[in-house]
Structures are given as structure tokens and as C-alpha cells.
Amino acid sequence: MAEPSVSAGYARGLFELAVARGADRAALAAQGGVAPAELADQDARIPFARYMALMRAAKALSGDAALGLHYGEAVDISEVSLVGLIGHASATMGEAFVQTNRYVRLIVDVPIEGPRRFALEADGRGVWIVDKRKDPDAFPELGASAFAQLVCAPRRAVGVQFVRELSFTHPAPAHAAEYERVFQAPVAFGAARNAMRIDAAGVAAPVARLPRYAFGILSERADALMQRLEGDPSARGRVESLLMPILHTGEAGMEAAARALGMSRQTLFRRLKAEGVTFEQVLDELRRRLALDYLAGRKVSVSEVAYLVGFSDPAAFSRAFKRWTGQSPRSFRRGGAQ
């Protein structure tokens, strides 16, 4: 991937919050290594290393050791990023999360484990949003900001408190009590992963704070920025990126995919055909690949894997898996691929 970076708008939001909390503007610019003029273009990029330096200078100059956490709590992402506006134009909290996950690299582009920054993982206790950022303890402020934004934005917008508990891999800081105040949920430190357990019912809460037509306009702009960030993707790649975070909803249909990509069903069909595939083949191959990864990881049950890749009926998943591999899911898990 390209050099890790953040949007200038995201860096500007942190800069202005620190100034509002007592940091001297000139000293912050000098110690943080940023010139206010380079933060003016919201969609410009700032190297991630400089954002870390800005965060540390901002904490020192404002006297707020929990500034990363407070940034997520206090600043609406729509004020500093196009991605937040797309969230406001989404129909439900679930759709807002899907779109945030789809475009999160426009806010912060850092190395991650897997295809998406945030993964949905299920266990016996419920459904978790897991931050897949690599080496999170090197800069825990980013994880605190991200989770605080995911929790506090819907609380402000629609009065929904959908987080039930959280875990962080870094040790408990001196301001650990502030985490529970911000999140209004139990928080564990020194855990195996950065994750938060959510109330699945909360994802159905309506949002639609902007007219629905704005969704298509904003998404088109976000797609253009993503292409600038990563190069022009193939139609297949765009479809896979769209489907990845919504497979579990069972709504991964061609009509919905085309609509989300801002094109007609016929246009999407033609573009995929030009690349030698059909939508059904892309969907089937994506499910196969993810199912193999989940089962090989041995962290979720076979029925949970079926749910995560979009099968409401475990028997249908077992039939599909046997078609893919010649084995049942349980046989694969016991012995691996033959």
C-alpha cells in the first residue's frame, strides 16, 4: 500500500480541538510539524507519522492526556470528512457503518489485517466490531478515537447506545475511568483484540439526516477519492469491496450492489462481463474465500461462519461448501484442505 496517511480534514479537526482546549496555535503547529495552510484542503493527505506527532504535541500542549478519546467523543466526523456526510445520508445505522467501513481509508489509511479496517465477528456472547489495524499499541490514541466516533456519533444523531462492552489491547492508562464515561459501557484493557460488542438491534435505527439523493452524490465523490488513493479498481474489485462488509446481512444482491456503486444493473452486468465474470461468480468466490479463512482460523463455529458469509440456512452453507471443496465444513475444519 502507499505510505500510511490521514486526510488533512481529520488532522485539522484534531488541531482545532487541541487549540480549543488550551494549546497555543503557533506552538502546536511547530511541535506537531504541520502548517495550518496545508490542512485547508480537507481531502489532501498528511503522512500518518506526522499525525502521530501532532497528536502527541496536542496532548502535551492542551494538558489533555485523553485527547484521542475526546476527539472521537466531541467532533462529528461529518465536520472533517466526506465519509461522515455519507453516514448522515445513510438510511440506517447499519448502512452508515457499512459505508464508513467501505470508505474509512479516506479518513485514515493504515496497514490492516485483512480486507477491511473493521470486521464483524460473532461468538457465543454476540456480535463484535473488531479493529483490524496492525500494531495498534504503537499508537492507541487512534483506536480510542475510532471507537469513540463509532459510538458517540449515533448517540448524538439518533439517541442510540448500541455498544455493550469494549476491549483494548493496550494496558489501562491513568485515565481509564474516562473510557467508561465516554463509552457508557464496561471497558477491558490488556485484551486480545480491540473490539466492541454491539446490540444488533441498534443497527436498524434510522438515520437519514440528509436527503437520500445526497447519498449518491457523496458516494460518487468518495469513489473518485478512493481511486486517487489506490488507483482505478476493476469492476470486480469494486463489487468485492462493496460486498465484503454486507455479506452477513443476506442483502448482497446485484440490484443493490449496482445501486450502491451508482450505476444501473445492466451497466454493472456489462462491466463484469467485460472482465470475464458474472455477479453470481464474484459473490460465490468471495463467499468461498472468506469461508475458508474463517474455518481455518478456528475462532468461530460453522453456523457462525454460515451467517458471516450470508447463508441464513446452515444446511445451504454446507451444500455450497461441499461444492467448493468436496468436503463438509466440519471435515475441513478437522483435517484442513485435502
Side-chain angles (χ1 to χ4, degrees):
M1 62 176 289
E3 178 187 17
S5 63
V6 305
S7 72
Y10 193 64
R12 186 182 68 244
L14 175 63
F15 189 101
E16 295 300 334
L17 178 64
V19 170
R21 297 199 171 209
D24 178 79
R25 187 177 293 273
L28 181 58
Q31 294 183 31
V34 297
E38 68 181 321
L39 305 182
D41 180 357
Q42 185 154 295
D43 297 326
R45 308 300 298 181
I46 301 296
F48 186 65
R50 288 172 59 197
Y51 180 77
M52 291 194 294
L54 174 63
M55 175 67 79
R56 287 162 183 158
K59 288 170 61 176
L61 291 170
S62 68
D64 184 356
L67 188 64
L69 183 65
H70 293 151
Y71 184 23
E73 177 189 30
V75 177
D76 190 323
I77 201 68
S78 67
E79 297 174 7
V80 297
S81 174
L82 173 69
V83 180
L85 293 173
I86 292 174
H88 286 336
S90 297
T92 64
M93 285 308 310
E95 183 182 15
F97 170 73
V98 167
Q99 298 303 327
T100 297
N101 208 18
R102 178 182 176 189
Y103 294 120
V104 69
R105 290 180 59 205
L106 296 181
I107 308 172
V108 179
D109 187 24
V110 290
I112 58 176
E113 300 280 357
R116 289 287 179 185
R117 169 74 184 277
F118 299 104
L120 289 177
E121 297 182 2
D123 63 16
R125 300 173 61 196
V127 177
W128 298 76
I129 295 175
V130 183
D131 189 344
K132 308 298 283 188
R133 181 167 58 104
K134 292 182 178 179
D135 196 18
D137 292 354
F139 188 52
E141 294 92 338
L142 185 63
S145 293
F147 277 174
Q149 282 152 356
L150 288 173
V151 170
C152 295
R155 188 189 297 157
R156 282 193 302 266
V158 293
V160 171
Q161 168 70 8
F162 69 91
V163 65
R164 293 294 173 256
E165 62 178 302
L166 302 97
S167 63
F168 291 93
T169 55
H170 61 269
H175 53 273
E178 190 68 357
Y179 278 72
E180 294 204 353
R181 183 196 69 78
V182 168
F183 291 115
Q184 298 179 20
V187 180
F189 296 97
R193 60 184 183 176
N194 291 290
M196 58 184 188
R197 183 168 62 86
I198 62 172
D199 177 1
V203 302
V207 182
R209 299 179 68 194
L210 293 176
R212 186 60 181 175
Y213 76 85
F215 183 89
I217 297 171
L218 295 167
S219 296
E220 183 176 350
R221 172 62 176 162
D223 284 336
L225 291 171
M226 287 289 286
Q227 290 177 18
R228 183 193 303 176
L229 190 64
E230 63 189 13
D232 190 9
S234 65
R236 178 174 185 154
R238 293 182 69 193
V239 168
E240 287 185 343
S241 295
L242 175 69
L243 294 179
M244 194 85 68
I246 64 170
L247 279 180
H248 70 285
T249 67
E251 298 176 357
M254 188 173 183
E255 194 75 39
R259 187 166 55 250
L261 292 171
M263 62 182 73
S264 69
R265 188 180 189 280
Q266 293 77 12
T267 298
L268 179 57
F269 174 83
R270 287 196 301 269
R271 292 188 180 181
L272 289 172
K273 184 179 180 181
E275 296 174 14
V277 294
T278 66
F279 178 85
E280 290 73 20
Q281 287 170 333
V282 174
L283 176 60
D284 194 59
E285 170 58 22
L286 182 61
R287 283 173 160 167
R288 184 195 69 82
R289 192 165 71 242
L290 290 176
L292 292 174
D293 287 344
Y294 284 131
L295 289 170
R298 299 177 183 273
K299 292 182 179 179
V300 290
S301 69
V302 170
S303 60
E304 287 166 341
V305 172
Y307 163 77
L308 289 169
V309 299
F311 287 87
S312 58
D313 179 6
F317 170 65
S318 293
R319 289 193 297 271
F321 195 86
K322 192 161 187 179
R323 172 171 55 82
W324 294 330
T325 67
Q327 303 178 70
S328 71
R330 286 179 173 78
S331 295
F332 177 87
R333 169 161 279 174
R334 283 196 301 268
Q338 301 299 315

Coordinates of all heavy atoms in Angstrom, one line a residue, residues 54-98:
L54 N 1.5 15.2 15.7 CA 0.5 16.2 16.0 C -0.3 15.8 17.3 O -0.5 16.6 18.2 CB -0.4 16.4 14.8 CG -1.6 17.4 15.1 CD1 -1.1 18.8 15.4 CD2 -2.5 17.4 13.8
M55 N -0.7 14.5 17.3 CA -1.5 14.0 18.5 C -0.7 14.2 19.8 O -1.2 14.7 20.8 CB -1.9 12.6 18.3 CG -2.6 11.9 19.5 SD -4.2 12.6 19.9 CE -5.2 11.8 18.6
R56 N 0.6 13.8 19.7 CA 1.4 13.9 20.9 C 1.6 15.3 21.4 O 1.6 15.6 22.6 CB 2.7 13.1 20.7 CG 2.4 11.6 20.7 CD 3.4 10.7 20.1 NE 3.0 9.3 20.1 CZ 3.4 8.3 19.3 NH1 4.4 8.6 18.4 NH2 3.0 7.1 19.4
A57 N 1.9 16.2 20.4 CA 2.1 17.6 20.7 C 0.8 18.2 21.3 O 0.8 19.0 22.2 CB 2.5 18.4 19.5
A58 N -0.3 17.8 20.7 CA -1.6 18.3 21.1 C -2.0 17.9 22.5 O -2.5 18.7 23.3 CB -2.7 17.8 20.1
K59 N -1.7 16.7 22.9 CA -1.9 16.2 24.2 C -1.1 17.0 25.2 O -1.6 17.4 26.3 CB -1.6 14.7 24.3 CG -2.6 13.8 23.6 CD -2.1 12.3 23.5 CE -1.9 11.7 24.9 NZ -1.5 10.3 24.7
A60 N 0.2 17.2 24.9 CA 1.1 17.9 25.8 C 0.7 19.3 26.0 O 0.6 19.9 27.1 CB 2.5 17.8 25.3
L61 N 0.4 20.0 24.9 CA 0.1 21.5 24.9 C -1.3 21.8 25.5 O -1.5 22.8 26.0 CB 0.3 22.1 23.5 CG 1.7 22.1 23.0 CD1 1.8 22.5 21.5 CD2 2.6 23.1 23.8
S62 N -2.2 20.8 25.3 CA -3.6 21.1 25.9 C -3.7 20.6 27.3 O -4.7 20.9 28.0 CB -4.6 20.4 25.0 OG -4.5 18.9 25.1
G63 N -2.7 19.7 27.7 CA -2.8 19.1 29.0 C -3.9 18.0 29.1 O -4.3 17.6 30.2
D64 N -4.4 17.6 28.0 CA -5.4 16.5 28.0 C -4.8 15.2 27.6 O -4.6 14.9 26.4 CB -6.5 17.0 27.0 CG -7.7 16.0 27.0 OD1 -7.7 15.0 27.7 OD2 -8.7 16.3 26.3
A65 N -4.6 14.4 28.6 CA -4.0 13.0 28.3 C -4.9 12.1 27.5 O -4.5 11.2 26.8 CB -3.5 12.4 29.6
A66 N -6.2 12.4 27.6 CA -7.2 11.6 26.9 C -7.7 12.3 25.6 O -8.8 12.0 25.2 CB -8.4 11.3 27.8
L67 N -6.9 13.1 25.0 CA -7.3 13.9 23.8 C -7.8 13.0 22.7 O -8.8 13.3 22.0 CB -6.2 14.8 23.4 CG -6.6 15.8 22.3 CD1 -7.7 16.8 22.9 CD2 -5.4 16.6 21.8
G68 N -7.1 11.9 22.4 CA -7.6 11.0 21.3 C -9.0 10.5 21.6 O -9.8 10.5 20.7
L69 N -9.3 10.1 22.8 CA -10.6 9.7 23.2 C -11.6 10.8 23.0 O -12.7 10.6 22.5 CB -10.6 9.1 24.6 CG -11.8 8.5 25.2 CD1 -12.2 7.3 24.5 CD2 -11.6 8.2 26.7
H70 N -11.2 12.0 23.5 CA -12.1 13.1 23.5 C -12.3 13.6 22.0 O -13.4 14.2 21.7 CB -11.6 14.3 24.3 CG -11.6 13.9 25.8 ND1 -10.7 14.4 26.7 CD2 -12.4 13.1 26.5 CE1 -10.9 14.0 27.9 NE2 -11.9 13.1 27.8
Y71 N -11.4 13.4 21.2 CA -11.6 13.8 19.7 C -12.7 13.0 19.2 O -13.6 13.5 18.5 CB -10.3 13.5 19.0 CG -10.3 13.9 17.5 CD1 -11.2 14.9 17.1 CD2 -9.5 13.4 16.6 CE1 -11.3 15.3 15.7 CE2 -9.5 13.8 15.3 CZ -10.4 14.7 14.8 OH -10.4 15.1 13.5
G72 N -12.7 11.7 19.4 CA -13.8 10.8 18.9 C -15.2 11.2 19.6 O -16.2 11.1 18.9
E73 N -15.1 11.6 20.8 CA -16.4 12.0 21.5 C -16.9 13.3 21.0 O -18.2 13.4 20.8 CB -16.1 12.0 23.0 CG -17.3 12.5 23.8 CD -17.0 12.8 25.3 OE1 -15.9 13.2 25.6 OE2 -17.9 12.6 26.1
A74 N -16.1 14.3 20.8 CA -16.5 15.7 20.7 C -16.7 16.1 19.2 O -17.6 16.9 18.9 CB -15.5 16.6 21.3
V75 N -16.0 15.5 18.3 CA -16.0 16.0 16.9 C -16.8 15.1 16.0 O -16.5 13.9 15.9 CB -14.6 16.2 16.4 CG1 -14.6 16.6 14.9 CG2 -13.8 17.2 17.2
D76 N -17.8 15.6 15.4 CA -18.6 14.8 14.4 C -17.8 14.6 13.2 O -17.3 15.6 12.6 CB -19.9 15.6 14.1 CG -20.9 14.8 13.3 OD1 -20.4 14.0 12.4 OD2 -22.1 14.9 13.5
I77 N -17.6 13.4 12.7 CA -16.8 13.1 11.6 C -17.2 13.8 10.3 O -16.5 14.0 9.4 CB -16.6 11.5 11.4 CG1 -15.4 11.2 10.6 CG2 -17.9 11.0 10.8 CD1 -14.1 11.5 11.3
S78 N -18.5 14.1 10.3 CA -19.0 14.8 9.1 C -18.5 16.2 9.0 O -18.5 16.9 7.9 CB -20.6 14.9 9.2 OG -21.0 15.7 10.2
E79 N -17.9 16.8 10.1 CA -17.3 18.1 10.1 C -15.9 18.1 9.5 O -15.4 19.1 9.1 CB -17.3 18.7 11.5 CG -18.6 18.9 12.1 CD -18.5 19.3 13.6 OE1 -17.4 19.6 14.0 OE2 -19.5 19.4 14.3
V80 N -15.3 16.9 9.4 CA -13.9 16.8 9.0 C -13.7 15.9 7.8 O -12.6 15.8 7.3 CB -13.0 16.4 10.2 CG1 -13.0 17.5 11.2 CG2 -13.4 15.1 10.7
S81 N -14.8 15.1 7.4 CA -14.6 14.2 6.3 C -15.9 13.9 5.6 O -17.0 13.9 6.2 CB -14.1 12.8 6.9 OG -14.0 11.8 5.9
L82 N -15.7 13.8 4.3 CA -16.8 13.4 3.4 C -17.5 12.1 3.9 O -18.7 11.9 3.8 CB -16.3 13.2 2.0 CG -17.2 12.6 0.9 CD1 -18.3 13.6 0.6 CD2 -16.4 12.3 -0.3
V83 N -16.7 11.2 4.5 CA -17.3 9.9 5.0 C -18.4 10.1 6.0 O -19.4 9.4 6.0 CB -16.1 9.0 5.6 CG1 -16.7 7.7 6.0 CG2 -15.0 8.8 4.5
G84 N -18.2 11.1 6.9 CA -19.2 11.4 7.9 C -20.5 11.9 7.2 O -21.6 11.5 7.7
L85 N -20.4 12.6 6.1 CA -21.6 13.1 5.4 C -22.4 11.9 4.8 O -23.6 11.8 4.8 CB -21.3 14.1 4.4 CG -20.7 15.4 4.9 CD1 -20.2 16.3 3.7 CD2 -21.8 16.2 5.7
I86 N -21.6 10.9 4.3 CA -22.2 9.7 3.7 C -23.0 9.0 4.8 O -24.1 8.4 4.6 CB -21.2 8.8 3.0 CG1 -20.6 9.5 1.8 CG2 -21.7 7.4 2.7 CD1 -19.5 8.8 1.1
G87 N -22.4 8.9 6.0 CA -23.1 8.3 7.1 C -24.4 9.0 7.4 O -25.4 8.3 7.6
H88 N -24.4 10.3 7.4 CA -25.7 11.1 7.6 C -26.7 10.8 6.5 O -27.9 11.0 6.8 CB -25.4 12.6 7.7 CG -24.7 13.0 9.0 ND1 -24.8 12.2 10.1 CD2 -23.9 14.0 9.3 CE1 -24.1 12.8 11.1 NE2 -23.5 13.9 10.6
A89 N -26.3 10.5 5.3 CA -27.2 10.3 4.2 C -27.6 8.8 4.2 O -28.5 8.4 3.3 CB -26.6 10.7 2.9
S90 N -27.1 8.0 5.0 CA -27.5 6.5 5.0 C -28.9 6.4 5.7 O -29.3 7.1 6.5 CB -26.5 5.7 5.8 OG -25.2 5.8 5.2
A91 N -29.5 5.3 5.3 CA -30.9 5.1 5.8 C -30.9 4.6 7.2 O -31.8 5.0 8.0 CB -31.6 4.0 4.9
T92 N -30.0 3.7 7.6 CA -30.0 3.2 9.0 C -28.5 3.2 9.5 O -27.6 3.5 8.8 CB -30.4 1.7 9.0 OG1 -29.5 0.9 8.2 CG2 -31.8 1.6 8.3
M93 N -28.4 2.9 10.8 CA -27.1 2.9 11.4 C -26.3 1.8 10.8 O -25.1 1.9 10.6 CB -27.2 2.7 12.9 CG -27.7 3.9 13.7 SD -26.7 5.3 13.4 CE -25.0 4.7 13.6
G94 N -26.9 0.7 10.5 CA -26.2 -0.4 9.8 C -25.6 0.0 8.5 O -24.4 -0.3 8.2
E95 N -26.4 0.7 7.7 CA -25.8 1.1 6.4 C -24.7 2.2 6.6 O -23.7 2.2 5.9 CB -27.0 1.7 5.6 CG -26.5 2.1 4.2 CD -27.5 2.8 3.3 OE1 -28.6 3.2 3.9 OE2 -27.3 2.9 2.1
A96 N -24.9 3.0 7.6 CA -23.9 4.0 7.9 C -22.5 3.3 8.3 O -21.5 3.8 7.8 CB -24.3 4.9 9.1
F97 N -22.6 2.2 9.1 CA -21.4 1.5 9.4 C -20.8 0.9 8.2 O -19.6 0.9 8.0 CB -21.7 0.4 10.4 CG -20.5 -0.5 10.6 CD1 -19.4 -0.1 11.3 CD2 -20.5 -1.8 10.1 CE1 -18.3 -1.0 11.5 CE2 -19.5 -2.7 10.3 CZ -18.3 -2.2 11.0
V98 N -21.6 0.3 7.3 CA -21.1 -0.4 6.1 C -20.4 0.7 5.2 O -19.2 0.4 4.7 CB -22.2 -1.0 5.3 CG1 -21.8 -1.4 3.9 CG2 -22.7 -2.3 6.0

